[in-house]
Amino acid sequence: MTVTDVGEFGLIDRVTARLAQGQSCLLGPGDDGAVVAAPDRRVVASTDVLVEGRHFRRDWSAARDVGHRAAAANLADIAAMGAIPTALLVALCMPAELDPAWAEELADGLGAEAALVGASVVGGDMSASPTLTIAVTALGDLAGQPPVVRSGARPGDVVALAGRTGWAAAGYTVLSRGFRTPRLLVEAFRRPEVPYAAGPAAAAAGATAMIDVSDGLLADLGHVAAASGVAIDLSREAFEVPRQMRDAAAALGVDPYTWILAGGDDHALAATFPPDAALPDGWRPVGRVAAGAGVTVDGAGYDGPRGWDHFRRTAE
């Protein structure tokens, strides 16, 4: 069976029947638009896209895994603004010969990841396309707090990290070399573990700037440094190399710090805090903000890759 056999509206019915609706959804799929509660009277919105062959491969990840990744990439952006995610809108473009079960399992992954933060998939669109593409828009609620933007870091601030970096990049490298183990690293690529609650917690603790680490810690902190007009220096000793990552790096001939400092897709959160602020649970200091420009490691420029550029095939 293919999606051509089921038809657009038949597939929509099959997919939406699998999606539970959270408390923020006042009107879900079935009309021209959804209605989502916005108690704050402001809505945080972000969008991201996953393209087969560039962001995922069906021989590497099951449809449910891709759903988790697609949702996580967007929900993490909402958390990085200090907001609470409320809803997802999903556009799915797919080849006509795709098995409809793949789309249904994708919806399962999207819905399960959204449920982790009390959000839900409230609508979207479908279209035929030669390239399998998932575009997701996430909405969030600031709950009365100001958004935490990239431009607020000041000299003297502490740079802190919530979540892990390097795990997904290590998993990607393992898969790209034709292996399926260590499973812990491969699963980190397939389904990131995002510290969603750390975003609003950082906002409540007075974070001055924050960002989702999607393209690499050095690259993404570079956006914070540029937006804030400051320099950021990271301490290499602040990043522990887990045993599984160390062993995989030795076997593959890779410097594990390349994964940790420049690898993306873990969706950790990086933020800056005033020097006298108490870091919330789950946050750990990894560096300092100073006058100047750019991002350094232990006071010196970093010679390796700095992160992922979507218009180039390799990190740089």
Side-chain angles (χ1 to χ4, degrees):
M1 183 181 293
T2 68
V3 294
T4 299
D5 299 321
V6 175
E8 177 184 357
F9 298 107
L11 184 58
I12 289 173
D13 289 341
R14 292 171 67 148
V15 165
T16 56
R18 308 171 81 94
L19 298 171
Q21 300 303 315
Q23 292 183 347
S24 295
C25 179
L26 305 181
L27 181 65
D31 282 86
D32 289 334
V35 179
V36 180
D40 184 79
R41 300 182 65 185
R42 296 171 297 172
V43 176
V44 179
S46 181
T47 192
D48 203 1
V49 63
L50 273 70
V51 179
E52 184 177 20
R54 190 155 190 97
H55 301 99
F56 69 93
R57 285 173 43 171
R58 277 185 275 169
D59 59 330
W60 286 4
S61 301
R64 190 179 180 100
D65 296 328
V66 177
H68 277 274
R69 286 191 66 208
N74 289 271
L75 297 170
D77 283 334
I78 301 300
M81 297 297 292
I84 301 167
T86 57
L88 296 176
L89 296 161
V90 182
L92 175 60
C93 303
M94 63 203 126
E97 66 273 12
L98 185 73
D99 187 333
W102 196 93
E104 294 172 351
E105 291 168 16
L106 174 76
D108 290 341
L110 288 161
E113 190 71 24
L116 293 177
V117 292
S120 48
V121 180
V122 299
D125 193 20
M126 292 183 180
S127 177
S129 170
T131 303
L132 182 54
T133 304
I134 305 114
V136 182
T137 296
L139 307 178
D141 180 41
L142 286 163
Q145 297 287 334
V148 184
V149 295
R150 301 178 180 183
S151 57
R154 297 293 179 263
D157 282 355
V158 174
V159 181
L161 188 71
R164 59 193 191 182
T165 63
W167 290 68
Y172 172 85
T173 303
V174 168
L175 288 165
S176 67
R177 301 285 182 91
F179 303 107
R180 294 295 185 270
T181 58
R183 187 172 179 81
L184 195 65
L185 300 179
V186 171
E187 289 303 316
F189 170 78
R190 289 172 173 161
R191 294 191 189 185
E193 296 182 4
V194 185
Y196 296 117
T208 54
M210 188 157 46
I211 193 167
D212 160 41
V213 182
S214 58
D215 294 325
L217 185 60
L218 293 174
D220 288 320
L221 282 177
H223 299 318
V224 173
S228 298
V230 297
I232 291 176
D233 185 55
L234 298 176
S235 171
R236 188 182 179 104
E237 291 185 353
F239 300 92
E240 179 184 357
V241 182
R243 178 185 57 79
Q244 297 91 337
M245 189 183 297
R246 183 176 62 249
D247 292 347
L252 297 172
V254 176
D255 179 356
Y257 284 98
T258 298
W259 292 332
I260 291 170
L261 296 175
D265 287 332
D266 284 299
H267 299 291
L269 301 180
T272 58
F273 294 85
D276 57 349
L279 296 183
D281 290 343
W283 287 89
R284 64 187 191 278
V286 295
R288 288 278 179 180
V289 179
V295 181
T296 55
V297 179
D298 293 334
Y302 184 71
D303 293 333
R306 301 184 71 85
W308 180 258
D309 184 322
H310 289 277
F311 289 96
R312 297 185 175 120
R313 285 248 173 224
T314 58
E316 66 172 24

